[in-house]
Amino acid sequence: MRIRATVAAVSGALALSALAVPAAQADSGVGDTTITKVVVDGDNRLNVGVSSPKTIKVSVTARDDSGIRGADEFTLTGPDYGYFSTSRPTCTATGSTTSTCTASFLVDPKVDYLTNASAGTWYVDAMVDAEDGDFIWKEKAGSFMFQRASQLTVNASPEPVKKGKPITVTGKLSRADWESLKYRGYTGQSVKLQFRKKGSSTYTTLKTVKSNATGDLRTTVTAGQDGYFRYSFAGTTTTAAVSAAGDYVDVR
């Protein structure tokens, strides 16, 4: 189950935050059991939007000379929130001494009471048991980025355009607002304008544009050849990277 307070039992964001995350525990263990690797959602970056529930996989790899027997429930903990795994981890041996234990988590922005301050660096807490009775409990066994999902649009015009004439490229960068459950403009961010010529698979950066107070983007370039324009955002610690689909312009 997810670690969250019942709304009827608390009032105010401070009370909810205080109850949402379990109390920290000191790392402990017996014997030579070690955690060697932690992977969250494939690349240690989890981006969450405003509507659809998301099931993610967390894998913890551990080693002990006697082999790994199993693992207790994993938890994910952030600045003001946390989650329990939806089931006990399943461990698969990858050798005589090493196993990878995997658990699933359900993140649902519509019912989880996330605040925008929840975005940033999160941690995986894990406890793994060895065949000989050794174990390890590690509060911050691994870290990952828990990010607000982002959206990016682009429109290049006019289409078609004469060679040597100006092309205006507009767009908008927005990101999930977990408190209103809407996407809102992401202001003051550096976004790359990129171009891919017809017949190529590679985008080249032309310039960097800053999003304005509403997240809008606007710049001009000179028409040279047929191809695709797009905006590309590298992301921040709190917000996922995103690239717009290319908009094709016919140059005549």
Side-chain angles (χ1 to χ4, degrees):
M1 62 182 291
R2 293 177 288 281
I3 306 169
R4 64 169 187 248
T6 303
V7 175
V10 296
S11 61
L14 290 178
L16 179 60
S17 297
L19 294 175
V21 179
Q25 302 179 45
D27 294 349
S28 61
V30 172
D32 61 352
T33 310
T34 57
I35 292 173
T36 60
K37 186 178 182 180
V38 177
V39 179
V40 177
D41 207 33
D43 61 357
N44 288 329
R45 290 182 181 273
L46 171 61
N47 66 84
V48 177
V50 299
S51 58
S52 300
K54 191 168 188 177
T55 299
I56 64 169
K57 184 174 75 172
V58 176
S59 297
V60 175
T61 302
R63 182 189 182 281
D64 187 276
D65 285 348
S66 67
I68 300 301
R69 184 196 321 164
D72 292 340
E73 190 174 56
F74 299 154
T75 59
L76 308 180
T77 56
D80 61 357
Y81 206 81
Y83 291 89
F84 287 124
S85 54
T86 56
S87 61
R88 190 180 181 91
T90 300
C91 297
T92 302
T94 56
S96 60
T97 60
T98 305
S99 291
T100 296
C101 303
T102 303
S104 295
F105 291 79
L106 180 64
V107 179
D108 189 342
K110 285 188 173 180
V111 300
D112 288 347
Y113 317 119
L114 293 168
T115 69
N116 293 328
S118 299
T121 303
W122 280 47
Y123 298 94
V124 178
D125 305 338
M127 184 171 183
V128 181
D129 301 308
E131 292 287 1
D132 60 0
D134 292 351
F135 74 91
I136 184 170
W137 157 254
K138 199 165 182 61
E139 185 188 348
K140 295 181 177 179
S143 64
F144 65 100
M145 302 309 301
F146 190 92
Q147 297 176 309
R148 297 159 68 175
S150 54
Q151 296 179 340
L152 188 55
T153 62
V154 66
N155 181 60
S157 63
E159 303 173 55
V161 63
K162 289 184 178 180
K163 186 174 182 178
K165 294 293 184 178
I167 296 174
T168 299
V169 187
T170 58
K172 186 180 183 73
L173 175 64
S174 55
R175 62 175 175 169
D177 182 340
W178 292 330
E179 295 165 21
S180 67
L181 295 180
K182 296 180 180 179
Y183 279 87
R184 300 192 182 280
Y186 196 8
T187 67
Q189 299 303 305
S190 296
V191 181
K192 294 178 181 179
L193 174 65
Q194 299 181 326
F195 178 75
R196 173 170 66 89
K197 67 181 180 180
K198 183 179 179 180
S200 172
S201 60
T202 303
Y203 276 95
T204 300
T205 298
L206 302 179
K207 61 173 71 175
T208 299
V209 182
K210 283 263 190 179
S211 58
N212 68 10
T214 57
D216 293 314
L217 302 159
R218 185 183 181 91
T219 191
T220 59
V221 294
T222 300
Q225 57 186 319
D226 294 351
Y228 300 83
F229 289 92
R230 76 173 185 183
Y231 281 116
S232 183
F233 175 60
T236 64
T237 55
T238 62
T239 306
V242 64
S243 293
D247 186 24
Y248 181 76
V249 175
D250 178 14
V251 178
R252 299 179 178 178

